[in-house]
């Protein structure tokens, strides 16, 4: 489908109409200046410039708690897998979060397919909303190559001044545009305006990382003994917030929960966090990452080295949530730059 | 039974630990005492030196059942020390929360602690067999009240949102209106409750005493009011509470002199009913009528029935409060208030009677003095006097039956002994 | 999507026999209910479920040539393992697997093999040993070193004895703390290595034991100049899913469940958190 | 499996935790099909000294309580500390900041000596405890979790991580971001972050996590305007029993 134009004032109706066939999740201001994704029935354009939500929209694909199995132990053992999913639309997702979902797609499809995630993913339509300027001080999407995006959404809307220039990426996207909103085909003039705005924005998103992002695995490979981990060890509270708010963290715990009848129950998974103390503790008493510094080092390596090496893309999408949420101001960019600088200084000395 | 001795240890189905000692020789009562064996907890000392904003955290832990009332009263005392008057919205939210606590506490007491006595069983678990529907009704009503507490206060036991001058978080108007609907839908269950308690056979016994409660001209006083005595009808300011309360405390003590004719008084549902009947919601009055509770009433066992009446009242009152809150719209009122040097007294009706907190603060807001007077402590002397007058009438019964009757009377007061322990002075009355 | 093929859905298996090996260890033999043939490589593991309690990764301890039943050796350390100890014959439990890759048996063919098992480490090794014995001609010299804390904790003592009887296998057993009836060797397992006569280029050392053991055994093997690629170790990590998702068993860039649980020392050397 | 016999006991406390058990309502009725309640004074008259599992609420604040608690330990196979008073001493520990005579005098004046009182301690300071249900008051789901775990003979799933995890999962705006203070980062979770959810700082009623980073947390409180003394005073509200840890 050709690019289309949707008027700002029609977005609310769009949201509303989508509810005929989907649950619509969009952004809501929970408290002044703090946003969350929640079920919405209209879109208010005051939210167009929202700062990243407290939790990323991954919670609708990989919820905080999720049932995997149901079982009966009496009269005899029976097990059923449980996959809960409903047709849903994520409305107004930012590029960083779309990238985040794209990375989860990789994680949950490669090696072994996770049907609990994939079924929800298949039932989800993503309506993106592009960013023309950094949404807040912690954003560093451009630095990790996650500002520009041309995949991972069904439609993407860009405000080109009162009207949204809309790229339709998938057949499902085309279907909802045709069915649920008033639109016109974008003309030459609008396309040009759109392209110009896109290229103009570049200057506003500066590169905060003091190297090419693709170099990062190299820096991190040699950073196991970097003094930064010692410093963070003293500062980090081990509270796990950076993990919980991150759009690309996906670790989980699995546990059984019996019903009160004690003859049936379910197996569930729940978000876990690699910065928590017993994440890597085993029954023999060892804890393979026993200090907060080591655990944080692991987390940073996952974003900029381990997973990045395996999948050839940064696993930090630049939303800045971890920096914002860290009570003791551990800043992802500062930390990455410290690793780079310490490395360079070491080399100079050598 | 002319000679009779009973040590009723750890009276059950009440909150806190109390024992009753009765010694009857030759048909005459030689000893009759309600000992409080609950450990004293020294709250007045615990609060000392703490910052005014923390006090409610501490006082709430005096009692898990009336945590809302303790928190409210504490905050009122602090606000009065700070010379701060909360907004209408805050007061209405507090009243709503208090109504919810009344419903929850009364229902708990009525269905779970008092009712088993009438069914000759030791606990609500024993009632499940023959009266499952009644038990479940009690549970549903209690859940309703608990959830209303949670909506307004965060949780029922040790509420979170009650703050000096405000609520840390307001309920959403939508949540309130949803809840209103639930209360309205539960009116039937309330009617059933009235029928249920109407059919229970309340023992006949009368002993007129002095009834003390808060009072207000234009509402059934729970949240605030002047202190009223049924004897004189006189109303005094809460800040002068010691004139009223001390007066009767000292009558128990051999060391001090009585200033009043009476040596005990009653607080609680029946006292409020007797003092403030006019202000009851019409529906509550109707239910009183239906259950045979006439105004005034001097049968302490009827305290249970007065509790049912109050529950009906609180149901209706909650609905009105929710309507008011929604129509006025809820504003965020969160703010810092104080510190400031001062003395303040707060008085609130707890489900089981009038509660007083007094605090003195220094200029940095640290507590320099605290005094808490708890309803059950005020009732203890009256319970003993009731027992003194009822025991002689029971002496023709078997010991076990006597004990049941005595425990029932104590339970009718809905005593919360763990709250009361800081007023241990009562223990020495009859020594 | 094949939902009933969910990654997390176990098959039902039945306990067909059990044997208490020591106070802490129990041998459990299972049969998958819908009797499909059960193929696996030595060194692979299962996720065992006791429903209501949870799931735990347990290595397969029986011979891969036995396709009928699966043998497991379970040490009682926590919830699931204790529940497994309580299962009686006929009880049902859940099984996912086989998971992981197992030992690189193909590469080991025609080589001398030294097994170094510490304590429970014999559990996964037993499967490999049985494989090697079954295919005895495919392998050159075979040496089994086994160390236990004390004589009472020796696992599969009868089998060790059988293997010892064979001319074509050398078996050395040592205990850290001997008692008065113990006639064998004493001292930690590392002390057995210096006495071995090894030809480094054609030797594979397969080491499985508690994490503390690895460091010292590696030192000895390095003295013997065994190539890093030929030292194979099996790692225990916390593991929730066993299928490369939950993140718990991650060591630097690798997942123990997906990439292991057996690794060559060459691989592990570069992983700062591995040993 | 024969039904285990369960008893509830209460020492110095507000009895709020037992009340939480009573608010289980219909779940409680389901529970009593799985267990026999041998004694639950707050709810029933029948009582028996024959029990397997003892839930003990309240802290130890008198010499006479020590003996009573030891008897409970002897009779029960499993003892569970119920609520902050029992698990960490709770609010009752506030009195430990004074000498005991002073405490007695403040409240009872001339009659002070009649009231035996000793420094408040959690029950663990007197007897061995098998499980802990934290919180002031306890969370009812945790009570159910522990009871079910006992029936299944497994460790209850009680979080070891700090409150922040649950708080973020609920998508609360962190109080520190609003200029308020909170003990969530050093306090054991399990309460579903109920206080921050209602816009009030965590006061630490569930006790410290294992290995808290107190020095960093203290700095954080300082940055938010609390003096060292004020910060310690915050920790002391519920943490009075382990004062040394905080200093
Ligand atoms: C690949 C692999 C193969 C294994 N093979 C065997 C075997 O053949 N025989 C055997 O007895 N054991 C084996 N283990 C170890 C076994 O998985 C653990 O002992 C078991 O998971 C403990 O579970 P539990 O429920 O009994 O203990 P829990 O009650 O869960 O835990 C006890 C302690 O162990 C830690 N722990 C929790 N979960 C795990 C986990 N998944 N893995 C390790 N520690 C954990 C906890 O921190 C806790 O302190 C193997 C482990 C792995 C990773
Ligand atoms: S690491 Fe931090 S900035 Fe990067 S994606 Fe995760 S939360 Fe966002
Ligand atoms: S822990 Fe709190 S709620 Fe529980 S008994 Fe103690 S004071 Fe009451
Ligand atoms: S409000 Fe408290 S518990 Fe919640 S995230 Fe912030 S510090 Fe942690």
């Amino acid at each position: 489908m050709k690019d289309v134009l949707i008027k700002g004032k029609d977005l609310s109706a769009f949201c509303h109409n989508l509810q005929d066939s989907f649950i619509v999740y969009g952004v809501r201001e929970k408290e002044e200046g703090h946003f969350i994704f929640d079920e919405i029935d209209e879109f208010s354009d005051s939210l167009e410039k929202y700062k990243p939500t407290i939790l990323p929209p991954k919670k609708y694909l990989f919820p905080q708690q999720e049932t995997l199995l149901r079982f009966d132990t009496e009269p005899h053992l029976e097990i059923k897998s449980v996959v809960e999913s409903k047709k849903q639309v994520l409305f107004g997702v930012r590029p960083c979060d779309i990238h985040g979902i794209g990375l989860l797609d990789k994680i949950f499809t490669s090696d072994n397919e996770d049907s609990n995630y994939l079924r929800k993913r298949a039932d989800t339509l993503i309506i993106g909303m592009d960013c023309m300027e950094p949404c807040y001080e912690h954003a560093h999407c451009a630095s990790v190559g996650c500002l520009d995006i041309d995949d991972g959404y069904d439609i993407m809307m860009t405000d080109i001044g009162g009207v949204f220039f809309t790229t339709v990426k998938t057949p499902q996207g085309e279907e909802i545009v045709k069915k649920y909103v008033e639109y016109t085909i974008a003309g030459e003039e609008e396309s040009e305006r759109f392209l110009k705005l896109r290229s103009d924005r570049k200057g506003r998103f500066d590169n905060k990382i003091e190297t090419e992002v693709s170099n990062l695995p190299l820096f991190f490979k040699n950073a196991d003994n970097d003094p930064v981990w010692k410093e963070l060890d003293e500062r980090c509270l081990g509270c796990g917030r950076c993990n919980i708010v991150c759009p690309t963290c996906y670790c989980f715990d699995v546990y059984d929960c019996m019903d009160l009848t004690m003859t049936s129950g379910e197996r569930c998974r729940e978000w876990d966090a690699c910065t928590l103390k017993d994440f890597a503790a085993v029954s023999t008493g060892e804890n393979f990452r026993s200090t907060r510094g080591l655990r944080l080092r692991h987390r940073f390596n996952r974003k900029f080295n381990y997973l990045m090496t395996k999948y050839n893309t940064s696993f930090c999408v630049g939303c800045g949530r971890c920096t914002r949420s860290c009570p003791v101001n551990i800043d992802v960019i500062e930390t990455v730059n410290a690793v780079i600088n310490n490395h360079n200084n070491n080399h100079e000395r050598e | 039974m002319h000679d009779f001795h009973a040590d009723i240890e750890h009276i059950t189905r009440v909150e806190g630990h109390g024992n009753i000692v009765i010694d009857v020789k030759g048909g005459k009562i030689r000893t009759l005492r309600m000992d409080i064996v609950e450990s004293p907890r020294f709250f007045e000392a615990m609060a000392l030196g703490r910052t005014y904003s923390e006090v409610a955290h501490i006082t709430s832990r005096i009692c898990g059942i009336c945590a809302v009332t303790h928190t409210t009263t504490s905050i009122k005392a602090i606000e009065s020390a700070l010379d701060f008057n909360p907004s209408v919205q805050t007061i209405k939210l507090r009243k709503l929360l208090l109504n919810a606590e009344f419903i929850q506490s009364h229902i708990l007491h009525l269905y779970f602690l008092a009712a088993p006595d009438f069914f000759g069983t030791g606990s609500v678990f024993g009632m499940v067999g023959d009266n499952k529907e009644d038990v479940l009704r009690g549970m549903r009503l209690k859940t309703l009240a608990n959830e209303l507490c949670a909506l307004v206060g965060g949780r029922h036991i040790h509420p979170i949102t009650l703050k000096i001058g405000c609520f840390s978080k307001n309920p959403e108007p939508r949540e309130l209106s949803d809840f209103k609907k639930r209360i309205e839908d539960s009116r039937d269950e309330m009617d059933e409750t009235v029928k249920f308690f109407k059919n229970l056979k309340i023992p006949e016994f009368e002993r007129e005493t002095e009834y003390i409660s808060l009072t207000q001209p234009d509402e059934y006083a729970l949240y605030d009011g002047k202190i009223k005595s049924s004897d004189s009808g006189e109303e005094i300011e809460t800040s002068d509470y010691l004139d009223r309360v001390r007066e009767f405390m000292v009558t128990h003590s051999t060391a001090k002199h009585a200033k009043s004719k009476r040596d005990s008084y009653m607080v609680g549902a029946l006292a409020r009913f007797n003092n403030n009947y006019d202000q009851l919601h019409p529906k509550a009055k109707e239910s009183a009528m239906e259950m045979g509770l006439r105004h005034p009433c001097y049968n302490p066992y009827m305290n249970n029935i007065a509790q049912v009446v109050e529950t009906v009242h609180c149901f209706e009152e909650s609905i009105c409060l929710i309507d008011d809150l929604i129509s006025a719209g809820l504003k965020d009122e969160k703010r810092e208030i104080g510190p400031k040097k001062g003395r303040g007294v707060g008085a609130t009706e707890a489900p089981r009677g009038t509660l007083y907190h007094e605090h003195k603060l220094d200029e940095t807001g640290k507590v320099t003095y605290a005094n808490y007077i708890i309803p059950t402590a005020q009732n203890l002397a009256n319970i003993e006097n009731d027992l003194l007058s009822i025991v002689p009438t029971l002496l023709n019964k078997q010991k076990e039956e006597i004990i049941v009757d005595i425990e029932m009377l104590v339970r009718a007061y809905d005593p919360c002994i763990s709250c009361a322990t800081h007023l241990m002075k009562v223990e020495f009355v009859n020594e | 999507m094949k939902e009933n093929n969910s990654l997390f859905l176990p098959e039902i298996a039945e306990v067909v026999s059990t044997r208490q090996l020591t106070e802490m260890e129990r041998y459990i033999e299972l049969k998958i209910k819908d009797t499909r043939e059960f193929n696996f490589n030595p060194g692979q593991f299962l996720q065992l479920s006791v429903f209501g309690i949870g799931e735990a990764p347990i290595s397969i301890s029986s011979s891969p040539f036995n396709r009928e039943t699966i043998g497991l050796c379970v040490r009682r350390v926590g919830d699931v393992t204790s529940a497994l100890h309580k299962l009686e014959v006929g009880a049902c439990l859940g099984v996912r697997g086989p998971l992981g890759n197992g030992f690189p048996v193909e590469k080991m063919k025609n080589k001398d093999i030294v097994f170094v098992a510490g304590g429970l480490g014999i559990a996964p090794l037993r499967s490999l040993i049985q494989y090697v014995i079954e295919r005895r001609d495919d392998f050159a010299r075979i040496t089994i070193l086994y160390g236990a804390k004390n004589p009472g904790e020796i696992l599969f003592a009868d089998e060790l004895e059988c293997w010892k009887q064979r001319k074509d296998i050398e078996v050395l057993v040592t205990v850290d703390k001997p008692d008065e009836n113990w006639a064998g060797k004493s001292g930690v397992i590392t002390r057995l290595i210096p006495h071995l006569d090894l030809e480094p280029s054609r030797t594979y050392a397969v080491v499985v034991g508690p994490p503390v053991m690895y460091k010292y055994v590696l030192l000895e093997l390095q003295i013997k100049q065994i190539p890093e690629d030929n030292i194979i170790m099996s790692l225990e990590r916390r593991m929730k899913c066993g299928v490369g998702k939950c993140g718990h068993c991650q060591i630097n860039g690798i997942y123990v469940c997906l990439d292991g649980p057996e690794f060559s020392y060459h691989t592990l050397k570069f992983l700062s958190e591995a040993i | 499996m024969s039904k285990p016999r369960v008893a509830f006991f209460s020492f110095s406390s507000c009895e709020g935790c037992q009340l939480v058990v009573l608010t289980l309502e219909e779940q409680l009725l389901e529970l009593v099909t799985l267990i026999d309640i041998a004694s639950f004074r707050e709810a029933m008259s029948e009582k028996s000294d024959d029990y397997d599992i003892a839930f003990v609420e309240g802290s130890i604040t008198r010499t006479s309580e020590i003996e009573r608690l030891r008897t409970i330990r002897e009779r029960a196979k499993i003892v569970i500390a119920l609520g902050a008073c029992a698990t960490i001493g709770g609010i009752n520990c506030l009195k430990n900041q004074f000498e005991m005579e002073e405490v007695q005098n403040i409240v009872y004046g001339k009659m002070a000596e009649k009231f035996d009182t000793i420094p408040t301690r959690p029950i663990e300071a007197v007897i061995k405890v098998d499980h802990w249900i934290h919180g002031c008051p306890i969370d009812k789901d945790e009570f159910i979790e522990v009871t079910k775990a006992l029936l299944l003979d497994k460790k209850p799933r009680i979080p070891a991580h700090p409150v922040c995890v649950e708080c973020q999962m609920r998508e609360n705006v962190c109080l520190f971001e609003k200029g308020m203070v909170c003990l969530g980062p050093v306090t054991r979770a399990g309460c579903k972050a109920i206080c921050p959810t209602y816009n009030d700082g965590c006061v630490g009623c569930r006790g410290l996590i294992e290995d808290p980073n107190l020095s960093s947390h203290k700095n954080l409180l300082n940055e938010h305007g609390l003096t060292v003394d004020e910060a310690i005073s915050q920790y002391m509200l519920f943490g009075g029993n382990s004062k040394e840890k905080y200093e």
Side-chain angles (χ1 to χ4, degrees), chain D residues 45-63:
Chain D
S45 297
E46 300 88 348
K47 47 192 159 193
S48 151
D49 286 336
D50 171 21
Y51 45 84
D52 310 302
I53 299 170
F55 285 96
V56 178
E57 172 194 67
S59 13
I60 302 307
T61 63
R62 270 178 156 187
T63 18

Side-chain angles (χ1 to χ4, degrees), chain C residues 11-188:
Chain C
E11 292 172 86
I12 295 179
E14 192 179 321
V15 177
V16 291
S17 82
T18 70
R19 180 154 60 101
Q20 198 69 32
L21 299 176
T22 70
E23 197 200 327
M24 293 290 283
E25 280 92 4
R26 186 179 182 84
Y27 189 76
I28 300 172
E29 205 185 1
L30 301 177
K31 193 167 165 48
I32 308 263
K33 264 274 177 82
D34 297 318
T35 49
R36 65 168 166 107
E37 265 204 356
F38 191 82
N39 292 310
F40 67 93
N41 299 325
Q44 285 195 294
F45 64 98
L46 298 177
Q47 279 281 9
L48 285 194
S49 293
V50 181
F51 289 93
I53 310 287
E55 215 177 20
I58 302 289
S59 308
I60 302 174
S61 197
S62 52
S63 163
F65 297 106
N66 171 0
R67 305 243 157 82
E68 290 292 300
T69 64
I70 311 163
L72 309 158
C73 172
V74 179
R75 172 177 290 180
R76 179 163 49 86
V77 296
D79 292 335
V80 177
T81 46
S82 302
L84 287 170
H85 270 235
K86 280 184 238 150
L87 293 182
E88 317 238 331
V89 172
C92 284
L93 71 172
V95 167
R96 286 192 297 135
L99 303 170
N101 305 292
F103 295 103
V105 277
E106 286 310 314
K107 287 195 201 152
M108 289 155 64
K109 291 223 165 117
N110 302 317
K111 297 280 174 19
D112 293 350
I113 301 185
V114 182
F115 294 94
V116 186
L120 187 60
I122 192 78
L125 279 182
R126 180 173 175 265
S127 176
L128 181 62
I129 294 171
Q130 298 202 350
Y131 176 92
V132 168
I133 290 176
E134 180 81 23
R135 296 278 165 88
R136 186 62 191 89
D137 296 344
D138 290 353
F139 300 89
R141 276 175 56 197
I142 294 180
T143 314
I144 299 173
L145 310 183
Y146 180 51
K149 278 217 191 75
N150 55 54
E153 286 185 20
I154 294 178
L155 297 167
F156 304 109
D158 44 346
E159 291 175 27
L160 284 164
E161 200 48 48
C162 280
W163 297 335
K164 216 180 210 166
Q165 300 306 323
R166 295 175 65 128
K167 297 267 144 41
D168 56 355
I169 301 178
E170 188 182 0
V171 179
L172 297 170
V173 180
T174 178
V175 297
D176 297 356
K177 291 194 205 83
D179 58 18
E180 56 269 30
N181 300 325
W182 180 248
K185 294 188 189 310
S186 63
V188 291

Side-chain angles (χ1 to χ4, degrees), chain C residues 41-45 59-60 99-104 124-125 128 206-208 231-235 254-265 267-268:
Chain C
N41 299 325
Q44 285 195 294
F45 64 98
S59 308
I60 302 174
L99 303 170
N101 305 292
F103 295 103
L125 279 182
L128 181 62
V206 194
V207 190
V208 189
I231 303 176
I232 312 293
M233 288 177 279
S234 178
L235 297 187
I254 58 127
Y255 272 76
V256 172
C257 62
L258 283 182
D259 305 310
E262 286 77 21
F263 298 93
S264 73
Y265 177 54
T267 311
L268 296 183

Side-chain angles (χ1 to χ4, degrees), chain A residues 167-181:
Chain A
T167 317
V168 182
K169 188 82 189 171
T170 63
Q172 294 91 322
E174 178 167 347
E175 193 185 322
I176 57 168
V177 167
K178 288 194 170 144
K179 212 162 152 189
Y180 298 114
V181 68

